[in-house]
């Protein structure tokens, strides 16, 4: 549908769920709710001044600013892996020299302990980066790829390998999908995770070939078991250099015999397999569907998937045009998309930390909260990645989500009904949110507007009571000695609400 033909058709039918460009009109205004929606989905949310900035830019200019993040200088020095690498190299030296078993075991255990500690440093580094980044869409895409082209500890055993993969996703976040699939096929963490580092002629390991077809590209139903076996043979000899994060092709391990894969016969290697995969119609559908579910809503309409697949094919599998089309589409701003996505633990934790300007030094605490909510960075539950939608919410994780608000507001102290002097200061960002508010009603409006975009009358009344006010128009002095306690009480109630669990 032409983007200008919006009016009545857009309200009632297919246009609202179309990849056609969203054009603001009297019936579909560009407003604060849509600006906040864009920042929530293409990043981790926005502070009021960031929402104002996006509102002024308009939908298309705002998306271009998010997409063109390379223009923004940014540097986050990673953990130093040289110490752990030296310990693993010592293990290799002792094994090569056939040192006594006890000495080898002791060296290996020391390397493993240091590696686990380095993994924790790496997890905290990435979380702090997500909180501080000025390139939110780039980090949101890194998180997407980590949950789509899945590798993780402990099957990917070496922390440095996971860092190298994380940087690969960052470097190619909006690049060419075919090039990324080739790169991930040679990635040391992936080679370890799906056992392709032991895939050799005469003893082919099918794990990587199977997941490449089933999860990463085409999906079940578009290949046979024989195709899996032949693809596994083609990837024999693709491995890494010991404890170093370097790809190695070992010709002695490679099966160079003829293979038939999806109708193509020849002396195929892994690169040939990827070429054939990207000639299949199903490959153009799977990633667009997953990306739309990540940014928009689950189970997009068939015609929408076809529109995205057509665009993806025409752009030679470039990701940037696809993401641009999704983020500027009518479907992205439709009622089915707006405030309907259950926040992942990463979205909840990072978004809260950015909004309330929580110090990155608290990343270890925040990581623990994310782990308890079911999303441990660098350790997805399986090769299928993390849950989506309502599956994030269980009887266990919902309690952890409620506890998270207490962690943020009290610094880890149990409960919030404590003496004011026992608690850390109310985050400065909260005080700025309510600065200038004169009544309980105005305080509630400021807090609800920033955290959930607004509330119904019943919820607003509950927040007024949480502020200790009997009437919405009761004056509220943010400088009063007990104002911090009262603000915490209202924030705790707001952050524990169902509305705050949605983006």
């Amino acid at each position: 549908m032409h983007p200008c033909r919006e009016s009545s058709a857009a309200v009632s039918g297919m246009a609202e769920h179309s990849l056609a460009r969203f054009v603001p009109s009297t019936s579909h205004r560009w407003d604060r709710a849509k600006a906040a929606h864009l920042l929530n989905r293409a990043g981790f949310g926005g502070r009021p001044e960031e929402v104002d900035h996006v509102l002024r830019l308009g939908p298309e200019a705002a998306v271009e600013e998010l997409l063109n993040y390379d223009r923004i200088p940014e540097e986050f020095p990673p953990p130093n892996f040289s110490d752990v690498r030296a310990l693993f190299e010592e293990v290799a030296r002792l094994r090569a020299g056939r040192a006594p078993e006890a000495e080898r075991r002791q060296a290996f255990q020391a390397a493993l302990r240091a590696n686990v500690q380095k993994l924790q440093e790496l997890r905290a580094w990435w979380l702090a980066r997500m909180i501080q980044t000025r390139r939110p869409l780039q980090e949101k895409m890194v998180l997407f790829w980590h949950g789509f082209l899945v590798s993780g500890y402990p099957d990917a055993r070496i922390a440095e390998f996971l860092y190298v993969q994380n940087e690969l996703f960052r470097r190619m976040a909006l690049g060419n999908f075919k090039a990324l699939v080739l790169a991930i096929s040679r990635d040391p963490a992936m080679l370890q995770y799906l056992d392709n580092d032991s895939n050799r002629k005469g003893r082919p390991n099918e794990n990587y070939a199977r997941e490449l077809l089933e999860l990463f590209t085409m999906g079940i139903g578009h290949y046979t078991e024989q195709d899996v076996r032949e693809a596994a043979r083609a990837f024999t000899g693709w491995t890494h250099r010991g404890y170093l994060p370097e790809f190695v092709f070992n010709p002695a391990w490679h099966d160079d015999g003829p293979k038939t894969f999806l109708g193509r016969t020849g002396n195929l290697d892994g690169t040939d397999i990827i070429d054939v995969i990207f000639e299949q119609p199903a490959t153009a559908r799977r990633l667009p569907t997953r990306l739309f579910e990540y940014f928009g809503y689950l189970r997009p309409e068939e015609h929408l998937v076809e529109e995205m697949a057509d665009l993806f094919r025409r752009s030679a599998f470039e990701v940037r045009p696809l993401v641009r089309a999704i983020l500027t589409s009518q479907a992205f701003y439709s009622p089915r998309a707006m405030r309907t996505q259950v926040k992942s633990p990463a979205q909840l934790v990072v978004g809260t930390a950015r909004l309330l300007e929580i110090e990155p030094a608290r990343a270890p605490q925040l990581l623990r909260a994310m782990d308890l909510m079911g999303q441990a960075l660098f350790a997805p539950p399986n090769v299928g990645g993390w849950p989506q939608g309502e599956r994030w919410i269980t009887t266990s994780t919902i309690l952890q989500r409620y506890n998270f608000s207490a962690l943020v507001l009290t610094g880890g102290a149990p409960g919030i009904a404590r003496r004011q002097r026992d608690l850390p200061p109310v985050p400065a960002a909260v005080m700025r949110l309510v600065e200038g508010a004169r009544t309980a009603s105005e305080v509630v409006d400021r807090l609800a507007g920033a955290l959930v975009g607004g509330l119904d009358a019943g919820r607003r009344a509950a927040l007024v009571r949480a502020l200790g006010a009997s009437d919405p128009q009761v004056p509220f002095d943010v400088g009063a000695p007990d104002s911090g306690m009262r603000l915490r009480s209202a924030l705790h109630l707001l952050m524990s609400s169902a509305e705050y669990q949605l983006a």
Side-chain angles (χ1 to χ4, degrees):
M1 177 176 288
H2 192 280
C4 293
R5 298 174 191 162
E6 195 177 12
S7 60
S8 60
V11 174
S12 60
M14 184 178 295
E16 255 192 22
H17 301 279
S18 167
L19 201 63
R21 184 166 55 91
F22 166 75
V23 178
S25 66
T26 54
S27 58
H28 290 272
R29 294 184 302 145
W30 175 245
D31 53 20
R32 286 187 63 82
K34 289 185 176 66
H37 172 70
L38 175 61
L39 288 176
N40 272 314
R41 299 298 179 84
F44 301 95
R47 294 184 289 274
E49 64 272 19
E50 293 172 321
V51 175
D52 289 340
H53 173 69
V54 166
L55 183 62
R56 288 191 297 271
L57 285 176
E60 294 199 27
V63 169
E64 289 307 310
E65 184 172 271
L66 288 163
L67 286 168
N68 294 310
Y69 49 72
D70 288 337
R71 301 172 184 173
I72 302 171
E74 191 165 82
E75 186 174 355
F76 291 91
N80 184 348
F81 295 95
S82 60
D83 52 345
V84 179
R85 185 186 291 184
L87 290 171
F88 278 120
E89 288 173 348
E90 175 66 6
V91 171
R93 187 188 67 78
L94 292 172
R95 286 175 175 171
R98 299 191 178 182
E101 182 181 349
E103 186 178 357
R104 285 183 282 147
R105 186 185 306 115
Q106 185 177 13
F108 187 56
Q109 291 301 320
L112 289 181
R113 286 193 297 272
N115 182 64
V116 170
Q117 178 58 40
K118 196 61 67 174
L119 177 63
Q120 287 300 103
E121 290 180 34
L122 177 62
R123 281 161 33 88
W125 170 82
W126 188 18
L127 181 57
R129 182 167 189 159
M130 284 190 274
I131 292 169
Q132 293 178 291
T133 186
R134 296 171 60 214
R135 301 173 169 189
L137 180 56
Q138 184 180 37
E139 290 308 311
K140 195 70 177 282
M141 285 300 302
V142 176
L143 187 64
F144 170 79
W145 291 123
H146 181 39
F148 183 69
L149 302 174
V150 173
S151 302
Y153 186 83
D155 296 296
R157 300 177 290 280
I158 300 179
E160 186 176 7
F161 288 14
L162 289 166
Y163 164 71
V164 168
Q165 185 184 88
N166 190 257
E167 282 293 288
L168 169 67
F169 290 152
R170 190 166 290 109
R171 189 169 62 252
M172 303 186 71
L174 292 173
N176 186 272
F177 182 49
K178 183 177 179 181
L180 178 57
V181 169
L182 178 59
I184 202 68
S185 301
R186 295 172 171 172
D187 174 73
M190 182 64 76
L191 290 166
Q192 273 195 340
Y193 183 71
L194 289 177
D195 307 306
N196 210 80
D197 56 353
S198 61
N199 186 15
R200 60 188 68 185
K201 182 179 181 178
R203 290 186 294 163
N205 186 302
E206 298 177 3
N207 287 355
Y208 180 68
R210 183 175 302 281
E211 305 309 347
L212 173 65
L213 299 176
E214 178 180 331
L215 295 176
F216 301 165
T217 56
M218 295 193 296
I220 292 174
H222 301 285
Y223 57 88
T224 67
E225 285 299 304
Q226 183 63 21
D227 290 321
V228 174
R229 288 189 285 271
E230 296 290 84
R233 291 176 58 213
F235 281 104
T236 50
W238 289 39
T239 185
H240 56 85
R241 193 181 303 280
Y243 294 114
L244 299 177
E246 299 174 9
F247 170 73
V248 171
F249 174 67
N250 188 333
W253 290 5
H254 181 62
D255 183 340
D256 58 2
K259 309 166 189 74
T260 300
F261 175 72
L262 292 174
R264 178 81 60 83
T265 300
N267 180 15
L268 308 177
D269 66 6
T271 305
D272 298 318
I273 295 298
I274 292 169
D275 285 341
V276 175
I277 286 172
F278 276 81
E279 294 169 0
Q280 311 306 309
T283 303
R285 292 170 54 89
R286 183 163 180 78
L287 180 69
T289 302
R290 286 295 300 272
L291 273 172
F292 188 86
E293 291 184 328
Y294 190 63
F295 290 117
Y297 50 81
L298 299 180
R299 297 174 292 279
E301 296 83 354
E302 177 62 22
H303 71 83
L304 186 55
V305 173
E306 283 298 327
E307 289 179 67
M308 291 188 293
D310 180 60
L311 170 63
F312 202 34
R313 279 189 295 265
R314 287 187 285 107
S315 66
F317 303 102
E318 290 290 330
V319 175
R320 187 182 302 268
L322 177 60
V323 171
R324 176 186 288 111
I326 291 171
L327 297 181
T328 58
S329 69
Q330 295 167 7
F332 178 72
Y333 290 107
S334 70
R336 189 174 173 189
M338 299 274 290
R339 295 206 64 80
T340 59
Q341 187 181 73
V342 176
K343 292 177 182 175
S344 69
Q347 185 79 23
L348 179 64
V349 170
V350 175
T352 300
R354 288 172 68 92
L355 178 63
L356 302 185
E357 298 176 27
I358 296 171
E359 289 295 322
R362 294 183 64 186
Q365 271 187 312
L366 301 178
L367 275 172
R368 178 61 177 158
M370 277 183 61
D371 292 350
L372 292 172
M373 289 184 233
Q375 190 169 24
L377 295 178
F378 295 110
N382 52 58
V383 70
W386 286 296
Q388 292 178 284
E390 293 180 0
R391 290 188 297 159
W392 279 121
I393 306 294
T394 67
T395 53
S396 172
T397 60
I398 193 64
L399 178 62
Q400 299 302 332
R401 284 171 176 254
Y402 294 157
N403 289 342
F404 172 65
S405 62
L407 170 69
V408 168
L409 298 171
T410 69
I416 61 172
R418 300 170 60 89
R419 293 176 300 176
Q420 180 74 12
R421 66 174 180 267
D422 293 336
L423 297 172
V426 174
V430 175
M431 302 309 292
R432 285 197 296 276
L433 284 177
V434 299
E435 186 178 11
R438 294 166 298 177
T439 66
S441 178
E442 289 177 1
V443 170
V444 166
D445 287 342
R446 300 278 189 89
L447 295 178
L451 271 69
V452 298
L455 290 170
D456 60 32
R459 300 277 185 154
R460 290 185 76 261
L463 283 177
V464 168
R465 291 193 296 272
L467 285 172
S470 57
D471 182 89
Q473 301 309 315
V474 168
F476 189 91
D477 180 5
V478 296
D482 66 342
S483 65
M485 186 71 72
R486 295 160 68 189
L487 283 170
R488 278 192 181 87
S489 179
L491 275 169
H492 180 64
L493 183 62
L494 189 56
M495 292 172 64
S496 300
S497 68
E499 289 85 352
Y500 194 65
Q501 308 307 314
L502 299 176

mmCIF file of all heavy atoms in Angstrom, residues 348-349 352-353 356 358 362 365-366 369 402-413 416 424-427 430 488 491 495 500:
data_model
loop_
_atom_site.group_PDB
_atom_site.id
_atom_site.type_symbol
_atom_site.label_atom_id
_atom_site.label_comp_id
_atom_site.label_asym_id
_atom_site.label_seq_id
_atom_site.Cartn_x
_atom_site.Cartn_y
_atom_site.Cartn_z
ATOM 1 N N LEU A 348 14.695 -4.921 31.008
ATOM 2 C CA LEU A 348 14.241 -4.388 32.292
ATOM 3 C C LEU A 348 15.404 -3.791 33.079
ATOM 4 O O LEU A 348 15.326 -2.654 33.573
ATOM 5 C CB LEU A 348 13.572 -5.500 33.101
ATOM 6 C CG LEU A 348 13.063 -5.118 34.492
ATOM 7 C CD1 LEU A 348 11.954 -4.088 34.391
ATOM 8 C CD2 LEU A 348 12.583 -6.359 35.240
ATOM 9 N N VAL A 349 16.494 -4.533 33.192
ATOM 10 C CA VAL A 349 17.620 -4.097 34.014
ATOM 11 C C VAL A 349 18.360 -2.929 33.371
ATOM 12 O O VAL A 349 18.623 -1.908 34.017
ATOM 13 C CB VAL A 349 18.577 -5.278 34.272
ATOM 14 C CG1 VAL A 349 19.879 -4.809 34.905
ATOM 15 C CG2 VAL A 349 17.900 -6.315 35.171
ATOM 16 N N THR A 352 16.144 0.250 33.193
ATOM 17 C CA THR A 352 16.021 0.889 34.502
ATOM 18 C C THR A 352 17.312 1.599 34.880
ATOM 19 O O THR A 352 17.295 2.738 35.370
ATOM 20 C CB THR A 352 15.672 -0.160 35.572
ATOM 21 O OG1 THR A 352 14.431 -0.798 35.237
ATOM 22 C CG2 THR A 352 15.541 0.481 36.943
ATOM 23 N N ALA A 353 18.438 0.934 34.643
ATOM 24 C CA ALA A 353 19.732 1.525 34.990
ATOM 25 C C ALA A 353 19.993 2.796 34.191
ATOM 26 O O ALA A 353 20.531 3.780 34.720
ATOM 27 C CB ALA A 353 20.845 0.512 34.759
ATOM 28 N N LEU A 356 17.378 5.598 35.482
ATOM 29 C CA LEU A 356 17.677 6.102 36.820
ATOM 30 C C LEU A 356 19.155 6.424 37.002
ATOM 31 O O LEU A 356 19.579 6.786 38.101
ATOM 32 C CB LEU A 356 17.212 5.092 37.876
ATOM 33 C CG LEU A 356 15.721 4.725 37.844
ATOM 34 C CD1 LEU A 356 15.372 3.812 39.003
ATOM 35 C CD2 LEU A 356 14.850 5.973 37.850
ATOM 36 N N ILE A 358 21.867 4.580 37.136
ATOM 37 C CA ILE A 358 22.543 3.758 38.140
ATOM 38 C C ILE A 358 24.001 3.586 37.737
ATOM 39 O O ILE A 358 24.312 3.363 36.569
ATOM 40 C CB ILE A 358 21.842 2.386 38.261
ATOM 41 C CG1 ILE A 358 20.418 2.587 38.769
ATOM 42 C CG2 ILE A 358 22.614 1.449 39.174
ATOM 43 C CD1 ILE A 358 19.566 1.344 38.716
ATOM 44 N N ARG A 362 27.773 -0.884 39.732
ATOM 45 C CA ARG A 362 26.839 -1.844 40.330
ATOM 46 C C ARG A 362 26.498 -2.984 39.378
ATOM 47 O O ARG A 362 25.599 -3.781 39.649
ATOM 48 C CB ARG A 362 25.557 -1.129 40.773
ATOM 49 C CG ARG A 362 25.781 -0.137 41.923
ATOM 50 C CD ARG A 362 24.487 0.494 42.373
ATOM 51 N NE ARG A 362 23.563 -0.482 42.924
ATOM 52 C CZ ARG A 362 22.304 -0.197 43.291
ATOM 53 N NH1 ARG A 362 21.855 1.039 43.160
ATOM 54 N NH2 ARG A 362 21.516 -1.129 43.770
ATOM 55 N N GLN A 365 25.914 -6.562 40.806
ATOM 56 C CA GLN A 365 24.605 -6.721 41.441
ATOM 57 C C GLN A 365 23.510 -6.880 40.389
ATOM 58 O O GLN A 365 22.617 -7.727 40.517
ATOM 59 C CB GLN A 365 24.280 -5.487 42.284
ATOM 60 C CG GLN A 365 24.743 -5.528 43.720
ATOM 61 C CD GLN A 365 24.194 -4.325 44.476
ATOM 62 O OE1 GLN A 365 24.285 -3.191 44.012
ATOM 63 N NE2 GLN A 365 23.624 -4.571 45.637
ATOM 64 N N LEU A 366 23.569 -6.047 39.371
ATOM 65 C CA LEU A 366 22.553 -6.084 38.326
ATOM 66 C C LEU A 366 22.619 -7.391 37.547
ATOM 67 O O LEU A 366 21.586 -7.942 37.137
ATOM 68 C CB LEU A 366 22.726 -4.886 37.386
ATOM 69 C CG LEU A 366 22.628 -3.504 38.035
ATOM 70 C CD1 LEU A 366 22.856 -2.412 36.997
ATOM 71 C CD2 LEU A 366 21.276 -3.308 38.720
ATOM 72 N N ALA A 369 20.807 -10.012 39.439
ATOM 73 C CA ALA A 369 19.361 -9.861 39.269
ATOM 74 C C ALA A 369 18.913 -10.438 37.927
ATOM 75 O O ALA A 369 17.898 -11.145 37.843
ATOM 76 C CB ALA A 369 18.977 -8.387 39.370
ATOM 77 N N TYR A 402 9.948 -8.239 40.896
ATOM 78 C CA TYR A 402 9.494 -7.346 41.944
ATOM 79 C C TYR A 402 10.638 -7.013 42.909
ATOM 80 O O TYR A 402 10.779 -5.871 43.359
ATOM 81 C CB TYR A 402 8.326 -7.964 42.705
ATOM 82 C CG TYR A 402 7.070 -8.139 41.873
ATOM 83 C CD1 TYR A 402 6.107 -9.075 42.207
ATOM 84 C CD2 TYR A 402 6.851 -7.363 40.736
ATOM 85 C CE1 TYR A 402 4.961 -9.242 41.440
ATOM 86 C CE2 TYR A 402 5.710 -7.520 39.963
ATOM 87 C CZ TYR A 402 4.765 -8.458 40.318
ATOM 88 O OH TYR A 402 3.638 -8.624 39.560
ATOM 89 N N ASN A 403 11.473 -8.023 43.209
ATOM 90 C CA ASN A 403 12.610 -7.782 44.098
ATOM 91 C C ASN A 403 13.624 -6.824 43.475
ATOM 92 O O ASN A 403 14.344 -6.127 44.191
ATOM 93 C CB ASN A 403 13.314 -9.102 44.437
ATOM 94 C CG ASN A 403 12.494 -9.977 45.368
ATOM 95 O OD1 ASN A 403 11.575 -9.497 46.031
ATOM 96 N ND2 ASN A 403 12.820 -11.252 45.425
ATOM 97 N N PHE A 404 13.681 -6.807 42.153
ATOM 98 C CA PHE A 404 14.638 -5.950 41.473
ATOM 99 C C PHE A 404 14.409 -4.476 41.817
ATOM 100 O O PHE A 404 15.364 -3.707 41.992
ATOM 101 C CB PHE A 404 14.555 -6.161 39.964
ATOM 102 C CG PHE A 404 15.364 -5.189 39.155
ATOM 103 C CD1 PHE A 404 16.747 -5.173 39.246
ATOM 104 C CD2 PHE A 404 14.741 -4.295 38.294
ATOM 105 C CE1 PHE A 404 17.500 -4.266 38.506
ATOM 106 C CE2 PHE A 404 15.484 -3.390 37.550
ATOM 107 C CZ PHE A 404 16.864 -3.384 37.657
ATOM 108 N N SER A 405 13.154 -4.068 41.925
ATOM 109 C CA SER A 405 12.883 -2.671 42.256
ATOM 110 C C SER A 405 13.445 -2.325 43.629
ATOM 111 O O SER A 405 13.986 -1.230 43.839
ATOM 112 C CB SER A 405 11.378 -2.383 42.200
ATOM 113 O OG SER A 405 10.679 -3.163 43.149
ATOM 114 N N ALA A 406 13.348 -3.262 44.583
ATOM 115 C CA ALA A 406 13.911 -3.010 45.908
ATOM 116 C C ALA A 406 15.431 -2.914 45.839
ATOM 117 O O ALA A 406 16.045 -2.086 46.520
ATOM 118 C CB ALA A 406 13.495 -4.118 46.866
ATOM 119 N N LEU A 407 16.050 -3.755 45.004
ATOM 120 C CA LEU A 407 17.502 -3.697 44.835
ATOM 121 C C LEU A 407 17.927 -2.322 44.313
ATOM 122 O O LEU A 407 18.880 -1.714 44.806
ATOM 123 C CB LEU A 407 17.953 -4.786 43.855
ATOM 124 C CG LEU A 407 19.406 -4.709 43.379
ATOM 125 C CD1 LEU A 407 20.350 -5.034 44.515
ATOM 126 C CD2 LEU A 407 19.636 -5.657 42.199
ATOM 127 N N VAL A 408 17.218 -1.829 43.328
ATOM 128 C CA VAL A 408 17.563 -0.546 42.725
ATOM 129 C C VAL A 408 17.374 0.599 43.721
ATOM 130 O O VAL A 408 18.199 1.510 43.801
ATOM 131 C CB VAL A 408 16.703 -0.298 41.471
ATOM 132 C CG1 VAL A 408 16.823 1.132 40.991
ATOM 133 C CG2 VAL A 408 17.104 -1.263 40.365
ATOM 134 N N LEU A 409 16.296 0.524 44.499
ATOM 135 C CA LEU A 409 15.932 1.658 45.345
ATOM 136 C C LEU A 409 16.601 1.650 46.709
ATOM 137 O O LEU A 409 16.669 2.678 47.382
ATOM 138 C CB LEU A 409 14.411 1.693 45.533
ATOM 139 C CG LEU A 409 13.610 1.890 44.238
ATOM 140 C CD1 LEU A 409 12.128 1.690 44.494
ATOM 141 C CD2 LEU A 409 13.876 3.272 43.669
ATOM 142 N N THR A 410 17.098 0.474 47.144
ATOM 143 C CA THR A 410 17.691 0.395 48.480
ATOM 144 C C THR A 410 19.140 -0.046 48.451
ATOM 145 O O THR A 410 19.759 -0.174 49.506
ATOM 146 C CB THR A 410 16.904 -0.594 49.369
ATOM 147 O OG1 THR A 410 17.111 -1.933 48.884
ATOM 148 C CG2 THR A 410 15.422 -0.268 49.384
ATOM 149 N N GLY A 411 19.674 -0.294 47.271
ATOM 150 C CA GLY A 411 21.057 -0.739 47.192
ATOM 151 C C GLY A 411 21.267 -2.135 47.726
ATOM 152 O O GLY A 411 22.382 -2.510 48.085
ATOM 153 N N GLY A 412 20.207 -2.925 47.802
ATOM 154 C CA GLY A 412 20.339 -4.297 48.264
ATOM 155 C C GLY A 412 19.816 -4.510 49.666
ATOM 156 O O GLY A 412 19.712 -5.641 50.125
ATOM 157 N N ALA A 413 19.487 -3.429 50.390
ATOM 158 C CA ALA A 413 18.924 -3.587 51.727
ATOM 159 C C ALA A 413 17.547 -4.223 51.621
ATOM 160 O O ALA A 413 16.776 -3.879 50.724
ATOM 161 C CB ALA A 413 18.815 -2.223 52.410
ATOM 162 N N ILE A 416 11.939 -1.712 51.876
ATOM 163 C CA ILE A 416 12.189 -0.273 51.765
ATOM 164 C C ILE A 416 11.557 0.502 52.911
ATOM 165 O O ILE A 416 11.760 1.697 53.030
ATOM 166 C CB ILE A 416 11.688 0.292 50.419
ATOM 167 C CG1 ILE A 416 10.186 0.097 50.263
ATOM 168 C CG2 ILE A 416 12.450 -0.292 49.273
ATOM 169 C CD1 ILE A 416 9.652 0.819 49.059
ATOM 170 N N PRO A 424 20.681 4.399 50.841
ATOM 171 C CA PRO A 424 21.455 5.308 49.990
ATOM 172 C C PRO A 424 20.556 6.430 49.493
ATOM 173 O O PRO A 424 19.322 6.342 49.550
ATOM 174 C CB PRO A 424 21.902 4.406 48.837
ATOM 175 C CG PRO A 424 20.877 3.323 48.789
ATOM 176 C CD PRO A 424 20.462 3.089 50.213
ATOM 177 N N PRO A 425 21.145 7.519 48.993
ATOM 178 C CA PRO A 425 20.314 8.619 48.486
ATOM 179 C C PRO A 425 19.410 8.143 47.351
ATOM 180 O O PRO A 425 19.745 7.221 46.610
ATOM 181 C CB PRO A 425 21.348 9.628 47.974
ATOM 182 C CG PRO A 425 22.637 9.263 48.644
ATOM 183 C CD PRO A 425 22.583 7.784 48.870
ATOM 184 N N VAL A 426 18.259 8.779 47.234
ATOM 185 C CA VAL A 426 17.402 8.525 46.074
ATOM 186 C C VAL A 426 18.197 8.893 44.833
ATOM 187 O O VAL A 426 18.889 9.921 44.809
ATOM 188 C CB VAL A 426 16.112 9.361 46.158
ATOM 189 C CG1 VAL A 426 15.287 9.207 44.889
ATOM 190 C CG2 VAL A 426 15.299 8.962 47.369
ATOM 191 N N PRO A 427 18.172 8.040 43.780
ATOM 192 C CA PRO A 427 18.953 8.372 42.581
ATOM 193 C C PRO A 427 18.710 9.800 42.117
ATOM 194 O O PRO A 427 17.566 10.280 42.080
ATOM 195 C CB PRO A 427 18.442 7.348 41.553
ATOM 196 C CG PRO A 427 18.012 6.176 42.377
ATOM 197 C CD PRO A 427 17.443 6.772 43.635
ATOM 198 N N VAL A 430 16.016 10.489 39.661
ATOM 199 C CA VAL A 430 14.640 10.554 40.152
ATOM 200 C C VAL A 430 14.331 11.967 40.639
ATOM 201 O O VAL A 430 13.255 12.514 40.358
ATOM 202 C CB VAL A 430 14.422 9.523 41.280
ATOM 203 C CG1 VAL A 430 13.022 9.680 41.879
ATOM 204 C CG2 VAL A 430 14.616 8.109 40.761
ATOM 205 N N ARG A 488 10.544 6.605 47.265
ATOM 206 C CA ARG A 488 10.883 5.186 47.125
ATOM 207 C C ARG A 488 9.631 4.322 47.165
ATOM 208 O O ARG A 488 9.498 3.358 46.423
ATOM 209 C CB ARG A 488 11.835 4.751 48.246
ATOM 210 C CG ARG A 488 13.288 5.082 48.004
ATOM 211 C CD ARG A 488 14.153 4.345 49.028
ATOM 212 N NE ARG A 488 15.546 4.673 48.833
ATOM 213 C CZ ARG A 488 16.143 5.727 49.383
ATOM 214 N NH1 ARG A 488 15.450 6.549 50.155
ATOM 215 N NH2 ARG A 488 17.421 5.962 49.158
ATOM 216 N N LEU A 491 7.873 4.714 43.836
ATOM 217 C CA LEU A 491 8.639 4.076 42.767
ATOM 218 C C LEU A 491 8.584 2.562 42.864
ATOM 219 O O LEU A 491 8.482 1.866 41.848
ATOM 220 C CB LEU A 491 10.091 4.553 42.812
ATOM 221 C CG LEU A 491 10.403 5.861 42.089
ATOM 222 C CD1 LEU A 491 11.804 6.328 42.440
ATOM 223 C CD2 LEU A 491 10.267 5.686 40.587
ATOM 224 N N MET A 495 7.347 0.373 39.832
ATOM 225 C CA MET A 495 8.237 -0.588 39.172
ATOM 226 C C MET A 495 7.785 -2.029 39.361
ATOM 227 O O MET A 495 8.218 -2.917 38.625
ATOM 228 C CB MET A 495 9.663 -0.410 39.689
ATOM 229 C CG MET A 495 10.301 0.907 39.257
ATOM 230 S SD MET A 495 11.897 1.209 40.062
ATOM 231 C CE MET A 495 12.853 -0.164 39.401
ATOM 232 N N TYR A 500 4.980 -1.770 34.113
ATOM 233 C CA TYR A 500 6.439 -1.590 34.020
ATOM 234 C C TYR A 500 7.130 -2.818 33.427
ATOM 235 O O TYR A 500 8.267 -2.732 32.994
ATOM 236 C CB TYR A 500 7.029 -1.269 35.391
ATOM 237 C CG TYR A 500 8.454 -0.748 35.310
ATOM 238 C CD1 TYR A 500 8.714 0.477 34.692
ATOM 239 C CD2 TYR A 500 9.517 -1.462 35.834
ATOM 240 C CE1 TYR A 500 10.000 0.969 34.598
ATOM 241 C CE2 TYR A 500 10.814 -0.979 35.751
ATOM 242 C CZ TYR A 500 11.046 0.233 35.118
ATOM 243 O OH TYR A 500 12.334 0.711 35.027
#
